[in-house]
Each structure stands twice: as structure tokens, then as C-alpha cells.
Amino acid sequence: MRILVLIAALLAGSAFAQNRLVSIYAFDLSYAGGIVYRNTAVKNGKDRHQNDFQIKLNFAQTIESWSPHIMGKGIVHIGRTHDDNGSSANTTNSIWGFTGGLIYNTDAADIKNSIYFGGQVGFEWQTVDDGANDESGINMVFAVEGGKRWDMGRYASTAISYAPSIEGVYRRYGGDIRDEFYKSGTEFKINFLKFDIMF
């Protein structure tokens, strides 16, 4: 938690204003990056090797020219997963994506305690290589979210709120991925461990 506060403080500068926001999700770190290498010993056969690379940045900014209640939101994510399972059917899945949208805060004067609603539309360039085929396509992503923030206090030039939410995501796959693998997908998320950092 101290690292998150330090990152937010460095981004915030010396002046405190409640018009910029970064969200941190516990199960899907939205302002983070990481590399994971896994090795699993197989009882009869070649060991299984896996590696994951993830970067996800989530940022929102008040749009004063429209309304103090409205924030523009952008999410950029890059992900690559490779699974070498000791056979010819090694798989690699790569995604480059951008999502943009709006957040509506019911209390513009006190965003850190506000009820909020949001919607986002985005695109992902995805490539799936299953060893036999290498297919790619552009996916469309639609998401809606609603939740409530509770102020947890101010640290340096930042404020942190506990901000649980409910989120729905619809993904329409495109290109060769739609022809060969998947048509569409839906997700329903209960983000019970989510924090918003404001600066």
C-alpha cells in the first residue's frame, strides 16, 4: 500500500486537486505491470513452461468544460501469455488494447465520497497462435460500471477512497479470431477490493 501511495504522490506534484484519478483493482491490477515465469514438473513427459507479461494503465481526468461531474477515462493494456506444454501445441496469446469512456460522479464537490457510474468503448488487437494456426483480429469491447467511494484519508498530496463496484463487459471478437476461435464473450465482475487514488 505504501508503494501505491508513493507512486500517486510522485504523479500528483505539490498541489492537491480532486480532479485526477487512478484506480487499483485487487484481482486485475489496473496501474501495474509484471512478468511471471512458471515451470511445472510433469510426472511423465517434458516440463511445462509458461510466461506472462502484463502492463495496464488506468487514468481519469475531470472534464471541466463539460461538467465538473464528468471525468474522461482511458485504459491502455498490453498482455502476452505463452504456454510451452512440451508438445507441438504450444500457445501464445497477445493483446494490445485501448479503452476510452466517461465517469459520472454524483457529487462533484466531494468525488472521494461520491456514487459513480461509467461506460467505456475500446478496441483490442489480439493474436492467438495455437501451434498450428496463427490468427489475429480486432476486438470491440463495451463496459459499464457503477459503484460508491468512501474516503480513507489524505496522504501527502493524494486522497485514497475505497471504491467497490459492479462491472459488466461485452467483447465482440473480430477478424480471423472470430472465424476460427471465438464469437463473443461476457464478463460480470464484483470489484469488492478496489481503490481510487485522487490527486
Side-chain angles (χ1 to χ4, degrees):
M1 189 65 173
R2 290 181 181 175
I3 293 174
L4 299 178
V5 173
L6 179 60
I7 291 171
L10 291 173
L11 291 172
S14 59
F16 178 75
Q18 202 176 302
N19 61 358
R20 290 189 282 287
L21 181 149
V22 170
S23 296
I24 306 292
Y25 297 77
F27 73 94
D28 181 17
L29 291 180
S30 290
Y31 199 73
I35 300 174
V36 178
Y37 296 97
R38 299 183 188 90
N39 183 61
T40 305
V42 178
K43 185 174 182 181
N44 295 311
K46 185 179 176 183
D47 290 356
R48 181 181 184 185
H49 305 283
Q50 295 169 283
N51 60 72
D52 298 317
F53 172 76
Q54 299 285 337
I55 292 178
K56 194 166 185 181
L57 306 176
N58 179 333
F59 181 78
Q61 168 74 53
T62 301
I63 306 175
E64 299 290 346
S65 59
W66 285 13
S67 166
H69 292 272
I70 297 176
M71 303 180 93
K73 181 175 182 177
I75 301 174
V76 176
H77 64 101
I78 301 168
R80 181 187 181 278
T81 302
H82 178 74
D83 186 351
D84 180 355
N85 56 20
S87 69
S88 60
N90 299 331
T91 59
T92 302
N93 185 21
S94 301
I95 295 177
W96 296 68
F98 172 78
T99 305
L102 300 173
I103 301 173
Y104 179 81
N105 301 293
T106 58
D107 187 352
D110 189 14
I111 292 176
K112 60 185 181 292
N113 283 301
S114 178
I115 295 172
Y116 62 96
F117 304 95
Q120 300 150 47
V121 178
F123 298 93
E124 297 174 337
W125 174 261
Q126 182 173 8
T127 302
V128 178
D129 183 354
D130 65 358
N133 299 298
D134 185 352
E135 312 292 355
S136 60
I138 297 176
N139 309 328
M140 290 192 68
V141 181
F142 304 90
V144 292
E145 183 179 20
K148 168 74 170 78
R149 297 188 194 94
W150 283 275
D151 184 13
M152 294 181 62
R154 180 173 165 179
Y155 303 88
S157 56
T158 65
I160 298 179
S161 293
Y162 174 56
S165 68
I166 295 174
E167 183 179 6
V169 179
Y170 173 78
R171 181 174 283 101
R172 183 191 185 280
Y173 293 92
D176 295 334
I177 292 177
R178 184 172 179 81
D179 295 337
E180 299 295 331
F181 297 111
Y182 317 113
K183 297 294 184 185
S184 63
T186 57
E187 299 175 23
F188 177 75
K189 301 179 182 179
I190 300 174
N191 300 311
F192 59 86
L193 196 56
K194 174 178 173 284
F195 300 90
D196 285 349
I197 300 175
M198 283 150 282
F199 52 94

